Amino acid sequence: MFKITNKKKLAPNIFEMQIEVSLIAKKAQPGQFIILKVDEFGERIPLTIAGTEKDNITIVFQAVGVSTIRLSQKAKGEFLMDIAGPLGRPTEIERFGKVACIGGGVGIAELLPVAKGLKKTGNIVISIIGSRTKELIIYEEELKSISDELYITTDNGSYGRKGFVTDVLKEFLELVKDNKGLDRVYAVGPVKMMERVCKLTAPKKIKTIVSLNSILVDGTGMCGSCRVEVGGQTKFVCVDGPEFDGSLVNFKELEARQLLFKEQEECALRAKGIKI
């Protein structure tokens, strides 16, 4: 059993939770994730480790399905049944030069430890984050404190500039001369967002790393649920990733596989009387 040491609401239906799990906290690196079960009736939920402090890990999640809604109902001082991790390959962090860190929605939480690591290693960090509305922007101050530049977008223009993170990236790349303005791009968020980022950086030949959020079940490469085509080969996000060279990812296949259990999830929500 693993104790919830703190919990707070970051935005509508978005929660931050600290969990006491010392072995994972000591070994976790940016880019890695855990798989947890709320209780004996819960399914396995993969969640990125958004930070560590002493014996605690931090996770950030959006309550959208039955399992994440049940997780959001847990309070400080209560316990979770199972946690496995750290899983996945950590982010490649070294001194690249100037790096653009791009996050969309809940992906902003995963962006934070990566941006911290890149800054600590001596990189110039340009952070670009976006959400549908102002209320859904998270970790603004935390990213501001470790970024050389921070840009914020909202779909409806309620905060920052109106538009998408790719609009800012496009303008930035158009100002770049001799294709030497950025040394690397890191992107995490909705599949469409990451695909559009890669389409912008590919002509400039800027290596772009994306963190994929395909459906995970066992987290050990056995079930094959998280498979994705990368460079014409089948890879498993849980053990080969979750990060890949975005120019090699088959995003159309990835997007289709995201709908794999959509019908079952809708049935589960209806069974619990939750509106879809």
Side-chain angles (χ1 to χ4, degrees), residues 43 64-67 69 259-276:
E43 64 180 331
V64 292
V66 170
S67 294
I69 289 172
L259 304 176
L260 190 60
F261 298 112
K262 182 180 179 181
E263 183 180 347
Q264 289 86 344
E265 185 63 51
E266 289 177 350
C267 287
L269 288 168
R270 283 194 292 267
K272 295 291 184 180
I274 300 171
K275 291 183 178 181
I276 301 172

Side-chain angles (χ1 to χ4, degrees), residues 145-177:
S145 69
I146 51 95
S147 300
D148 294 274
E149 299 176 43
L150 173 64
Y151 299 90
I152 300 173
T153 70
T154 49
D155 295 4
N156 64 359
S158 56
Y159 193 56
R161 62 171 286 176
K162 184 176 182 178
F164 308 106
V165 292
T166 46
D167 295 332
V168 176
L169 177 63
K170 182 179 180 181
E171 291 179 6
F172 190 92
L173 293 175
E174 287 174 347
L175 295 174
V176 170
K177 295 181 179 180

Side-chain angles (χ1 to χ4, degrees), residues 65-80:
V66 170
S67 294
T68 48
I69 289 172
R70 288 173 66 185
L71 180 60
S72 72
Q73 294 168 345
K74 286 286 186 178
K76 177 181 177 180
E78 294 188 303
F79 293 84
L80 303 176

